[in-house]
Amino acid sequence: MTIRGVLFDVDGTLYDYEKAEEAGLHEHLVAEGLADRFESSAEALRVWREVREEEYPRFLTGELTFAAQKAERIRRFLAHAGVVGALESTDEAATAWFASYAVRRNVSRRAFDDAQPALSALAGRFRLGVVSNSVTAQQRAKLDAIGLLGYFTEPLICSQEHGSAKPAASIFLAGCEALGLTPAEVVYVGDDYEKDAIGARDAGLQAVWVDRSASGGSGAVDADIRVIASLTELTSL
């Protein structure tokens, strides 16, 4: 069937989240006088990401609210840094710490270099949308800040408002519905092999996995999943 629409993941696919995260965390730790609590900036970042990878899924499953997972991440991270009383910090105090970090992170947020050229090339040929494991307001503001929001059909489909997270089929199908297309007419593009590529494929969409490092992941890639190293490769759709 002819492809008529393309849905995108945001973080790690269109937005270089990890680079902004690294810069923002380093600057915030220096400002807070906590940089020397870690052996190196790399160690601080490793701990930060380890905690994030453990707590963010609790938001996606509905165990924690979006705000609560932020607060829990900060409590655990500061406890690891040896901050006295960190685990007993109130949600308000922890959330305020995260908000200050986010201000510094957001100064560095940028789209990947290949994002805008690819979207410009696709916009005249396809309906474009977003399916993201996040909160709609946050992703809309993020896309606006990096200059990409105008390319996408509204509503953006995000797990908080949808009620289920990738790789659940329902969130991909909601994205197709937002475009007014059937799953067979839609390509999904994302950087997470299991959540994005496998999830989209199993929901009936055509899946494209963005492997920017050309690492091939940890194992074999299914033959029906297209692998690209750059979003500019999408112009051949």
Side-chain angles (χ1 to χ4, degrees), residues 31-100:
E32 292 288 311
L34 296 174
D36 61 355
R37 300 293 185 98
F38 297 90
E39 294 180 2
S40 64
S41 293
E43 174 62 11
L45 185 63
R46 184 196 66 77
V47 174
W48 176 266
R49 288 176 174 169
E50 182 178 274
V51 172
R52 183 193 71 194
E53 290 303 308
E54 292 175 359
E55 296 298 333
Y56 197 75
R58 298 176 66 193
F59 153 66
L60 295 178
T61 61
E63 181 182 350
L64 295 176
T65 66
F66 192 65
Q69 62 86 25
K70 290 181 182 179
E72 189 61 21
R73 285 163 59 185
I74 297 309
R75 281 190 282 263
R76 290 185 55 192
F77 179 76
L78 293 181
H80 191 96
V83 175
V84 176
L87 292 178
E88 289 72 44
S89 296
T90 64
D91 284 353
E92 291 76 13
T95 300
W97 199 97
F98 190 101
S100 295

Side-chain angles (χ1 to χ4, degrees), residues 4-8 14 111-130 139-140 142-156 179 231:
R4 299 174 60 198
V6 185
L7 292 168
F8 286 87
L14 299 170
F112 282 106
D113 289 343
D114 56 2
Q116 193 276 333
L119 293 174
S120 292
L122 295 172
R125 300 166 51 208
F126 303 101
R127 303 175 197 177
L128 306 180
V130 163
Q139 298 303 70
R140 182 181 288 113
K142 185 184 299 177
L143 289 167
D144 190 29
I146 62 177
L148 302 181
L149 182 62
Y151 289 104
F152 296 107
T153 300
E154 292 279 7
L156 309 181
L179 296 183
L231 296 178

Side-chain angles (χ1 to χ4, degrees), residues 137-192:
Q138 172 164 301
Q139 298 303 70
R140 182 181 288 113
K142 185 184 299 177
L143 289 167
D144 190 29
I146 62 177
L148 302 181
L149 182 62
Y151 289 104
F152 296 107
T153 300
E154 292 279 7
L156 309 181
I157 305 301
C158 292
S159 58
Q160 170 71 24
E161 291 76 19
H162 174 69
S164 295
K166 298 178 294 184
S170 65
I171 193 168
F172 294 104
L173 299 180
C176 295
E177 184 177 354
L179 296 183
L181 300 173
T182 66
E185 296 176 296
V186 178
V187 169
Y188 187 80
V189 182
D191 70 302
D192 187 303

